[in-house]
Amino acid sequence: MNAPGARDCITAFEEDLCLAFANTRYWRGSAAPTESLVDPAALFGWCERRAGVARTLVRALARDADAAALMTQALALREAIYRLFAATALNQALPGGDLTRLGAALAAAPAREALVRDGSVLAWRVKARPGRVEVLLAPVIWSAADLLTRASMRRIRCCGNPQCLWLFIDRSKSGTRRWCDMGACGNRAKAARHYSRTKQARTAGQSPMGGPSQCK
Ligand SMILES: [Zn+2]
């Protein structure tokens, strides 16, 4: 254990942080998906708030990096991560190019050098190289690589709402969870089915919530 010092620290992250990052693009199955990472400020904010990257580290990267290039690299990595886990959810072969991209990002990501105290929690201290997207997204990259090699990989699902297509880990006992969120997509699916039944218009394969998901 080392002395306090949170400047170049990243706090512990959820197992499925990489899926949360992939899901920063909403409604992937719709004609006009919603992008939440609309500019570098949104990306930096997400990394600080959700991924546990220290504010001082984010600010240093924001100051030193070519913001436009960083955004392009970050979104390309996000899409590679989405495709990898979407393929998993659909029991398809992992796209080789995306696996190579993730491997390269992992190699370029900073090492977790030491455990340090960051307030009341523990954090990893990293040696940050200025301007590198792999520093900003280090916890996302670690999460993706870890999840790809864990047993919970078999529990990756793609939301059954074809408009949504969010990725999630099915932690249900039965292993049959279909929706990213029952309160949102699940209830919408129920309402759609009810509407179809009452209109007697539902035929096999035509329900807006029916059929297998096609993650994209
Ligand atoms: Zn959903």
Side-chain angles (χ1 to χ4, degrees), residues 101-154:
R101 180 188 283 269
L102 178 62
L106 184 63
R112 285 172 268 194
E113 291 196 330
L115 273 175
V116 295
R117 290 192 187 281
D118 182 11
S120 60
V121 299
L122 292 175
W124 288 291
R125 190 177 63 208
V126 298
K127 187 171 284 182
R129 281 171 288 179
R132 297 294 298 261
V133 73
E134 293 87 359
V135 176
L136 189 66
L137 294 180
V140 170
I141 295 165
W142 297 334
S143 161
D146 289 350
L147 192 55
L148 279 171
T149 54
R150 280 182 186 160
S152 47
M153 175 75 168
R154 293 193 291 272

Side-chain angles (χ1 to χ4, degrees), residues 11-174:
T11 52
F13 49 87
E14 311 101 308
E15 177 189 35
D16 54 355
L17 180 69
C18 56
L19 303 185
F21 186 58
N23 290 342
T24 54
R25 187 169 172 84
Y26 295 66
W27 305 118
R28 287 176 176 268
S30 71
T34 303
E35 177 59 74
S36 66
L37 302 181
V38 293
D39 55 27
L43 174 66
F44 295 140
W46 189 92
C47 289
E48 184 184 332
R49 287 190 309 275
R50 186 66 192 267
V53 182
R55 178 175 297 178
T56 45
L57 186 53
V58 170
R59 286 185 178 172
L61 287 163
R63 186 186 61 233
D64 297 334
D66 176 339
L70 203 68
M71 275 302 287
T72 301
Q73 293 164 359
L75 296 186
L77 184 58
R78 182 189 66 182
E79 295 311 297
I81 289 172
Y82 185 88
R83 287 189 294 268
L84 283 168
F85 287 100
T88 301
L90 297 176
N91 290 317
Q92 296 173 350
L94 296 178
D98 293 327
L99 200 55
T100 300
R101 180 188 283 269
L102 178 62
L106 184 63
R112 285 172 268 194
E113 291 196 330
L115 273 175
V116 295
R117 290 192 187 281
D118 182 11
S120 60
V121 299
L122 292 175
W124 288 291
R125 190 177 63 208
V126 298
K127 187 171 284 182
R129 281 171 288 179
R132 297 294 298 261
V133 73
E134 293 87 359
V135 176
L136 189 66
L137 294 180
V140 170
I141 295 165
W142 297 334
S143 161
D146 289 350
L147 192 55
L148 279 171
T149 54
R150 280 182 186 160
S152 47
M153 175 75 168
R154 293 193 291 272
R155 290 270 184 153
I156 305 294
R157 305 280 185 268
C158 189
C159 181
N161 177 351
Q163 300 286 303
C164 172
L165 304 184
W166 261 13
L167 298 169
F168 61 91
I169 298 178
D170 178 5
R171 294 189 173 94
S172 68
K173 206 169 182 180
S174 62

